[in-house]
Amino acid sequence: MIQMLLLLILLIFILTFVYASWRAAPWVPIHSKDVVRLIKLAHIQQGQRVYDLGCGDARVVCAAARAGARATGFEVSLLPYLLAQARIALQKNKNARVCYRDFWSADLRDADLVYFFLMPKIYPKLKEKLERELKPGAKIIAYVWPFPDWTPTACDRMPGQPTLYLYTRSYYGHHTMESHLRFS
């Protein structure tokens, strides 16, 4: 009986991992030194709203909260979600939280910054969501892979390290983001 229960629990963990991989990306944690680079690139201000799409073990969520943000992560893979909850509990930061929820159904309209480390195959759908929901001036940081038709406002490149791409939502009416972004 105990073996069957353990097998069922293992199966649940595996299925949630497969589901997360299929929906957006498998869990591959961001390097700790890259979290520092990300926080510096983001220029987080006290009280800003930060979302991490597919937050894994909440490294970025906790770092953003320590920088003064109200940070929320979304995760659908059970193991990283539980690790994220443990990380947040250990750090006792009331401004960090993780939701066991698919980020596709999350409302991002109040975001000041959206971060993600996701597979490029979902970028077309993600682009539509971000253009539809983000307010003017909101920042987007993509880890490793850039949006193919957006021009970053800044990039953080380090030899031998993944690149961080910063994009900023346009202030211009209802135009698409890429038509008003410039490389700097």
Side-chain angles (χ1 to χ4, degrees):
M1 182 66 176
I2 292 176
Q3 291 174 335
M4 289 298 282
L5 182 60
L6 291 175
L7 186 59
L8 180 61
I9 291 170
L10 179 62
L11 183 62
I12 290 170
F13 276 94
I14 291 170
L15 288 175
T16 63
F17 181 80
V18 169
Y19 176 75
S21 299
W22 174 73
R23 289 292 284 166
W27 177 43
V28 179
I30 183 174
H31 301 282
S32 296
K33 57 189 165 201
D34 292 338
V35 173
V36 174
R37 292 173 46 216
L38 185 152
I39 296 301
K40 183 177 177 186
L41 180 64
H43 298 290
I44 294 172
Q45 304 297 313
Q46 188 74 30
Q48 285 187 319
R49 170 56 85 184
V50 174
Y51 291 109
D52 184 345
L53 310 182
C55 70
D57 63 3
R59 293 174 192 208
V60 172
V61 170
C62 289
R66 282 193 305 273
R70 293 174 294 129
T72 301
F74 301 101
E75 184 56 59
V76 294
S77 185
L78 194 52
L79 179 61
Y81 170 76
L82 294 173
L83 293 172
Q85 292 296 351
R87 181 184 298 269
I88 290 170
L90 288 172
Q91 293 190 8
K92 299 178 183 173
N93 191 323
K94 293 179 182 175
N95 288 325
R97 72 185 192 116
V98 173
C99 302
Y100 188 71
R101 179 178 176 190
D102 195 329
F103 66 79
W104 294 112
S105 64
D107 182 353
L108 305 177
R109 287 181 291 180
D110 65 341
D112 295 298
L113 170 68
V114 174
Y115 162 76
F116 53 87
F117 179 17
L118 302 170
M119 300 301 292
K121 70 179 182 178
I122 62 125
Y123 278 19
K125 183 178 176 183
L126 182 59
K127 175 185 169 188
E128 289 176 20
K129 179 175 179 60
L130 296 175
E131 286 182 339
R132 183 177 58 249
E133 295 182 19
L134 293 185
K135 63 187 175 187
K139 298 176 189 174
I140 303 139
I141 296 182
Y143 185 61
V144 180
W145 296 289
F147 273 96
D149 54 354
W150 286 356
T151 303
T153 51
C155 293
D156 184 318
R157 292 185 174 94
M158 300 269 306
Q161 299 298 316
T163 301
L164 290 160
Y165 300 90
L166 172 68
Y167 304 90
T168 305
R169 180 70 167 103
S170 166
Y171 281 96
Y172 301 99
H174 297 291
H175 296 98
T176 59
M177 239 181 284
E178 67 272 12
S179 64
H180 298 289
L181 291 175
R182 294 187 310 234
F183 181 76
S184 60

